[in-house]
């Protein structure tokens, strides 16, 4: 595949968006330390991905998924994080892609798993600096433009509308009733993180459903689980917890559909044998 054709694929769209966001955030914040994040996270992600493919004796292909995982991690984890923490986060993310699988596809979003484990094990700082949380509010437009392009490319609008609609409605309600500090989630950098998360992590094709009905359920379930987690514990890890629940639902649906398909196939096969006899 030529570079021009690759850029027109969903992975090409996401990679290009991440690089543009990296440049905007670095220039806007006048901090080049985020570029360190990118080099470390992407390099480690690609190396671990290649090693895993080699051990499984898989056919060679461009490690574009690993590159995207590394880019997402680097744009979320704090620019003050140590090289060791960034590398460990990337390693856990890629390993989850090969260890937590169903029919050779990851069950959970690798970047979300890596970042969640990074918080639990290393208490890593995650500033979502690549989502422009420290920049003027108008830069959110870049998230929306890029997010629209990605969502349109992977046909995930039912999922996105369900997630954003449910998330913002629940946050408004619990904010209205003054439950904890949930109204913070409707201001930067929380709103930036939610948009980045929804457009670039929630829409991951391998770990989210394809059918419109399942997308709506997936989006609502992720939003409800995440918002409840935020109400109980606060912080930005609530997004990861919500996605883990949503990914698990998607996995159960795929497994259920697979079993139903296999059952129908066996019935048709048995009928054919009976007819032959």
């Amino acid at each position: 595949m030529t570079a021009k054709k690759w850029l027109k694929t969903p992975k090409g769209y996401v990679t290009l968006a991440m690089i543009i966001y990296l440049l905007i955030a670095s220039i806007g914040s006048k901090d080049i330390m985020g570029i360190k994040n990118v080099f470390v996270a992407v390099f480690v992600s690609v190396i671990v991905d290649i090693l895993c493919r080699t051990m499984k004796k898989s056919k060679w292909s461009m490690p574009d998924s690993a590159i995207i995982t590394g880019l997402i991690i680097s744009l979320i984890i704090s620019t003050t994080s140590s090289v060791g923490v960034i590398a460990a986060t990337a390693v856990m993310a890629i390993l989850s892609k090969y260890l937590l699988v169903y029919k050779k596809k990851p069950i959970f979003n690798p970047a979300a798993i890596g970042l969640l484990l990074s918080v639990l094990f290393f208490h890593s700082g995650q500033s979502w600096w690549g989502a422009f949380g420290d920049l003027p509010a108008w830069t959110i437009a870049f998230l929306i433009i890029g997010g629209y392009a990605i969502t349109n490319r992977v046909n995930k609008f039912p999922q996105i509308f369900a997630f954003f609609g449910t998330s913002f409605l629940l946050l408004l309600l619990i904010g209205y009733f003054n439950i904890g500090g949930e109204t913070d989630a409707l201001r930067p950098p929380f709103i930036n993180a939610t948009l980045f998360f929804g457009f670039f992590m929630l829409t991951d094709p391998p770990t989210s459903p394809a059918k419109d009905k399942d997308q709506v359920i997936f989006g609502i379930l992720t939003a409800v689980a995440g918002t409840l987690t935020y109400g109980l514990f606060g912080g930005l890890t609530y997004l990861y917890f919500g996605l883990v629940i949503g990914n698990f639902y998607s996995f159960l649906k795929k497994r259920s559909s697979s079993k139903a398909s296999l059952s129908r196939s066996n019935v048709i096969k048995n009928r054919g044998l009976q007819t032959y006899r």
Side-chain angles (χ1 to χ4, degrees):
M1 183 183 296
T2 63
K4 185 176 181 180
K5 288 183 177 180
W6 180 77
L7 283 173
K8 292 181 180 180
T9 65
K11 291 180 180 178
Y13 272 51
V14 174
T15 302
L16 182 60
M18 296 296 99
I19 293 174
I20 291 173
Y21 292 170
L22 164 67
L23 295 175
I24 293 173
S26 297
I27 294 172
S29 62
K30 298 179 181 179
D31 182 3
I32 63 172
M33 291 304 294
I35 297 176
K36 172 207 69 176
N37 286 16
V38 173
F39 279 117
V40 174
V42 172
F43 177 77
V44 172
S45 295
V46 169
I47 293 300
V48 175
D49 188 78
I50 292 174
L51 289 174
C52 289
R53 285 173 180 266
T54 302
M55 292 176 64
K56 293 184 64 178
K57 297 181 180 180
S58 300
K59 184 179 179 181
W60 165 257
S61 63
M62 180 180 176
D64 42 13
S65 294
I67 292 173
I68 291 172
T69 297
L71 285 169
I72 291 175
I73 288 172
S74 64
L75 292 175
I76 292 175
I77 202 163
S78 174
T79 57
T80 60
S81 297
S82 68
V83 170
V85 169
I86 298 171
T89 302
V91 170
M92 292 186 293
I94 300 301
L95 287 181
S96 75
K97 174 184 169 183
Y98 288 95
L99 296 177
L100 305 175
V101 298
Y102 177 69
K103 290 192 172 182
K104 298 182 180 181
K105 290 188 177 181
I107 297 174
F108 304 103
N109 181 281
I113 290 294
L115 289 163
L116 178 59
L117 293 177
S118 181
V119 172
L120 296 177
F121 293 154
F122 308 116
H123 304 289
S124 61
Q126 299 184 5
S127 61
W128 296 73
W129 65 278
F132 318 134
D134 296 326
L135 300 185
W138 61 265
T139 55
I140 288 177
F142 292 118
L143 293 176
I144 296 174
I145 293 171
Y148 173 85
I150 298 301
T151 305
N152 182 60
R153 192 69 181 81
V154 297
N155 299 313
K156 297 290 184 179
F157 280 114
Q159 183 172 291
I160 283 298
F161 287 138
F163 172 72
F164 285 145
T166 304
S167 292
F168 296 145
L169 177 61
L170 289 176
L171 289 168
L172 280 171
L173 287 175
I174 58 182
Y176 176 78
F177 289 106
N178 196 31
I179 303 175
E182 284 75 11
T183 52
D184 288 341
L186 297 176
R187 297 196 298 266
F190 289 87
I191 187 68
N192 302 65
T194 302
L195 290 172
F196 184 99
F197 168 84
F199 285 131
F200 299 104
M201 297 177 72
L202 192 77
T203 56
D204 179 38
T207 58
S208 61
K211 294 181 180 179
D212 289 355
K213 179 181 178 181
D214 292 334
Q215 285 190 38
V216 171
I217 296 173
F218 175 83
I220 293 174
L221 182 61
T222 301
V224 171
T227 304
L228 289 176
T229 302
Y230 182 72
L232 293 172
F233 305 107
L236 283 169
T237 55
Y238 74 94
L239 294 169
Y240 309 140
F241 280 111
L243 186 53
V244 166
I245 298 299
N247 287 159
F248 190 68
Y249 160 78
S250 182
F251 156 69
L252 292 178
K253 287 292 296 183
K254 290 176 183 177
R255 190 177 67 170
S256 176
S257 297
S258 179
K259 287 183 177 180
S261 178
L262 181 61
S263 177
R264 286 194 297 269
S265 178
N266 289 335
V267 169
I268 293 172
K269 183 178 179 180
N270 291 333
R271 286 177 178 175
L273 289 173
Q274 290 173 1
T275 303
Y276 176 76
R277 290 170 182 171

